[in-house]
């Protein structure tokens, strides 16, 4: 399975892109449609949404679309970008590096292979500017599915009609075969489990004790590990984030759920990255019915939860270094010292220490600044996007994995 971004630009052939989306899906791929504003004049985004069962991106500036700098996060997750139909305008923008909407920004940001299916009037297709632009793109490795000849919507007969959907799908398969999934990345053949988000400990059916974790750091780690070719399982508490494509997501609620989800999978994992903010305490006896208010104070009795990281650290396989174990330490003071204590106490290989008293790092923001604390010392990672911090953490995980054999050499993303 591959994750494919399908760019649809404003040509009459846009309706055929619906068939292309279906064809790619029938072959087992996940498809995310990105429509330019002009494309929405030809086909409604709802059609693509219904077919792909995913949100359709139609606007660079929609509120929320930039919370994770979406064109960058999508750019690093996709296995292939197909643009069909690609208008003369789109081809011109791609060839000249213009990035004034989501699709053209994605084109520049991605390192995934790109397949264009141009479609336009014959004279436009043969215009020296378009010919030059297509040549420039081909010289940069962009693959082209030639338009067909025949009766064009404008009444002309000639070359320029969008290639048939099955030909575009076949070309996409060919491009994907040239870069097989799971054999590209530096983490190919490795299984990595990431935990993310908060846990909710229920007081009664309507109330819970939670924390401010948004899940962003864990999701960024899962996305980056998948991009590097690992088979990733993401065990996540309740968050508002969309499931990252190509990642097996296990949604849990409480610390006890997370414990069960992690412990039942740990034996297959090459690495475990515990970015979740797991509750240390849970309700001694959650009420099956809503607790009614009374005069006076209410006392809740909390009991300790199981320390998942600590338990994994003591597994017999850890004497062979498996799984590589990364924990997080969210602190408000004395960050590195506490992290050093945690490294020893939890028998982890690496502790990622966050100073959550900073407004620009830690909970519910897109940036983070951390210290990577291991037996070999402390590495400071200055403030940057959580995606970039994820890259630095995974660089360290890759180094640690060099010392241990893959648990399942055949693991595929
Ligand atoms: N963790 C865990 N299981 C728990 C609690 C925490 O696996 N029940 C993991 C977190 O995912 C994180 C690390 O342990 O990787 C955090 O360590 P912990 O000592 O629990 O952190 P705090 O509770 O924040 O620290 P403190 O002991 O200072 O309260």
């Amino acid at each position: 399975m591959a994750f494919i971004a399908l760019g649809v630009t404003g040509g009459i052939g846009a309706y055929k892109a619906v068939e292309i989306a279906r064809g790619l899906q029938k072959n087992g791929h996940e498809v995310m449609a990105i429509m330019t504003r002009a494309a929405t004049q030809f086909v409604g985004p709802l059609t693509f949404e219904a077919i792909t069962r995913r949100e359709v991106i139609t606007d660079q500036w929609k509120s929320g679309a930039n919370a994770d700098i979406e064109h960058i996060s999508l750019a690093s997750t996709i296995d292939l970008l197909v643009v069909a139909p690609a208008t003369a305008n789109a081809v011109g923008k791609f060839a000249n590096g213009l990035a004034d909407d989501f699709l053209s920004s994605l084109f520049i940001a991605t390192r995934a292979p790109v397949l264009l299916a141009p479609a336009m009037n014959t004279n436009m297709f043969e215009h020296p500017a378009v010919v030059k632009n297509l040549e420039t793109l081909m010289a940069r490795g962009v693959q082209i599915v030639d338009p067909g000849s025949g009766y064009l919507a404008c009444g002309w007969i000639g070359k320029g009609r969008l290639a048939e959907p099955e030909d575009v799908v076949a070309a996409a398969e060919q491009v994907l075969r040239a870069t097989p999934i799971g054999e590209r990345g530096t983490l190919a053949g490795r299984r990595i489990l990431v935990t993310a988000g908060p846990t909710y400990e229920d007081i009664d059916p309507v109330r819970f004790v939670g924390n401010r974790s948004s899940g962003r750091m864990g999701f960024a780690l899962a996305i980056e590990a998948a991009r590097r070719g690992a088979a990733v399982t993401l065990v996540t508490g309740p968050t508002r984030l969309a499931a990252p494509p190509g990642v097996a997501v296990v949604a849990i609620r409480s610390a006890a759920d997370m414990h069960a989800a992690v412990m039942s999978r740990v034996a297959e994992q090459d690495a475990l990255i515990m970015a979740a903010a797991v509750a240390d305490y849970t309700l001694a006896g959650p009420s099956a019915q809503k607790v009614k208010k009374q005069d006076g104070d209410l006392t809740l009795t909390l009991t300790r939860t199981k320390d998942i990281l600590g338990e994994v650290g003591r597994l017999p396989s850890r004497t062979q270094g498996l799984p590589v174990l990364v924990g997080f330490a969210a602190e408000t003071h004395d960050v590195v010292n506490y992290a050093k204590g945690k490294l020893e106490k939890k028998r982890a290989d690496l502790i990622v220490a966050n100073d959550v008293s900073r407004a620009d790092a830690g909970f519910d923001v897109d940036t983070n600044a951390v210290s990577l604390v291991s037996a070999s010392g402390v590495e400071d990672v200055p403030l940057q996007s959580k995606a970039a911090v994820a890259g630095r953490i995974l660089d360290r995980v890759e180094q640690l994995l060099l010392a241990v054999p893959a648990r399942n050499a055949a693991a595929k993303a």
Side-chain angles (χ1 to χ4, degrees), residues 70 95-96 111 121 134 144 158 162 170 173 204 207 230 252 274 303 324 328 331-332 342 364 377 380 396 408:
E70 207 172 354
N96 291 287
R111 293 294 170 266
N121 162 278
L134 284 169
I144 309 287
L162 178 64
E173 291 298 341
D204 66 18
R207 305 175 180 101
I252 56 90
M274 298 281 299
T303 57
V324 161
F328 274 66
E331 309 286 356
T332 52
K342 255 168 222 180
D364 222 5
D380 287 323
R396 295 291 295 268
N408 176 2

Side-chain angles (χ1 to χ4, degrees), residues 64-107:
N66 294 286
D68 290 322
I69 323 263
E70 207 172 354
H71 60 273
I72 303 296
S73 78
L74 191 65
S76 52
T77 345
I78 56 173
D79 299 298
L80 172 67
L81 169 62
V82 177
V83 182
T87 57
N89 184 47
V91 168
K93 285 205 284 189
F94 296 160
N96 291 287
L98 303 184
D100 66 346
D101 62 6
F102 194 97
L103 183 60
S104 48
S105 304
L106 178 68
F107 175 85

Side-chain angles (χ1 to χ4, degrees), residues 274 276 278-280 305-309 327-328 330 342 346:
M274 298 281 299
V278 189
D280 290 322
T305 56
K306 289 181 182 158
D307 178 355
I308 310 165
L309 183 60
F328 274 66
K342 255 168 222 180
K346 310 252 187 177

Side-chain angles (χ1 to χ4, degrees), residues 195-197 199 255-256 258-259 262 272-281 304-312 326-331 338 342 345-346 350-352 363:
T195 68
T199 62
M258 184 165 278
H259 177 268
V262 172
L272 208 80
I273 308 178
M274 298 281 299
V278 189
D280 290 322
Y281 294 91
R304 285 293 301 270
T305 56
K306 289 181 182 158
D307 178 355
I308 310 165
L309 183 60
E311 201 171 315
V312 175
V326 180
F328 274 66
E331 309 286 356
Y338 278 126
K342 255 168 222 180
K345 192 163 148 241
K346 310 252 187 177
L350 184 71
I351 293 285
V352 181
F363 291 138

Side-chain angles (χ1 to χ4, degrees), residues 3 17 52 66 72 104 108 120 123 135 178 209 215 217 226 239 268 280 291 297 309 333 371 380 382:
F3 179 46
T52 62
N66 294 286
I72 303 296
S104 48
I108 293 194
M120 61 199 81
N123 269 4
E135 279 173 8
V209 179
M217 193 61 241
T239 78
E268 302 127 38
D280 290 322
V291 177
D297 298 339
L309 183 60
H333 57 283
S371 300
D380 287 323

